[in-house]
Amino acid sequence: MTAILALRKVIKDVPYVIFACDSLIVDGEDKIILDNSHKYVEFTNFVALFAGDAAIQHVLENLKQSGSLKVKKILKMSSLADVQSFQALVYGEYKKLIESAGMIIDKSYNDIGYGLIIATLDCLYTISCDGFIVQNSK
């Protein structure tokens, strides 16, 4: 099981986000602990912490590298609508990657899927694989 944690704190009108994660990587049935592993991807305006199988890291890294104008607009993370669009984009790319590997997404099976925390300087969002978003602080 993956542990991810984010905390947002404003000190003297300056917002800070502190985050932590474990180093366990799951790839199929293999579970590996890597010394320099990370469970987050840093974007320009936010950090995406993730829990789940190895495919979600690949999806996030690919989105970070994307030159698409649509992706760049979403990655501003200036509103809840951007977070919702990001989740829809991530889920679509994740589903394509899983299906291309011959797997089926079964939301009743907890080992397949992912969870995200989007940490911006303004807010934290917790996102489940099925698209449920909780705005944690404003």
Side-chain angles (χ1 to χ4, degrees):
M1 177 171 35
T2 294
I4 56 176
L5 171 75
L7 172 70
R8 181 182 175 278
K9 179 91 173 158
V10 178
I11 302 171
K12 295 183 180 179
D13 296 326
V14 178
Y16 295 89
V17 176
I18 301 167
F19 60 91
C21 48
D22 67 8
S23 59
L24 178 67
I25 298 294
V26 177
D27 193 5
E29 293 185 13
D30 297 327
K31 295 182 180 180
I32 307 162
I33 296 177
L34 302 174
D35 291 335
N36 295 320
S37 173
H38 61 278
K39 295 283 183 99
Y40 64 92
V41 176
E42 292 184 60
F43 292 84
T44 303
N45 298 319
F46 66 99
V47 175
L49 291 93
F50 60 89
D53 57 39
I56 191 61
Q57 182 175 6
H58 297 295
V59 167
L60 293 171
E61 293 286 353
N62 289 341
L63 287 175
K64 180 179 179 180
Q65 300 301 322
S66 174
S68 161
L69 291 176
K70 176 184 174 184
V71 172
K72 286 182 180 180
K73 182 179 181 220
I74 292 170
L75 296 183
K76 289 182 180 180
M77 287 300 167
S78 59
S79 67
L80 179 58
D82 287 345
V83 176
Q84 291 166 331
S85 296
F86 181 73
Q87 161 53 18
L89 183 61
V90 167
Y91 180 77
E93 293 299 312
Y94 175 82
K95 186 176 177 183
K96 280 192 249 181
L97 187 59
I98 291 296
E99 290 173 349
S100 72
M103 298 173 67
I104 298 171
I105 296 176
D106 180 356
K107 293 179 185 172
S108 65
Y109 182 57
N110 293 330
D111 285 344
I112 297 177
Y114 62 87
L116 295 173
I117 294 177
I118 302 298
T120 71
L121 289 178
D122 295 326
C123 200
L124 297 176
Y125 302 92
T126 303
I127 306 170
S128 64
C129 183
D130 61 359
F132 186 72
I133 299 173
V134 176
Q135 188 172 344
N136 298 97
S137 62
K138 184 79 171 160

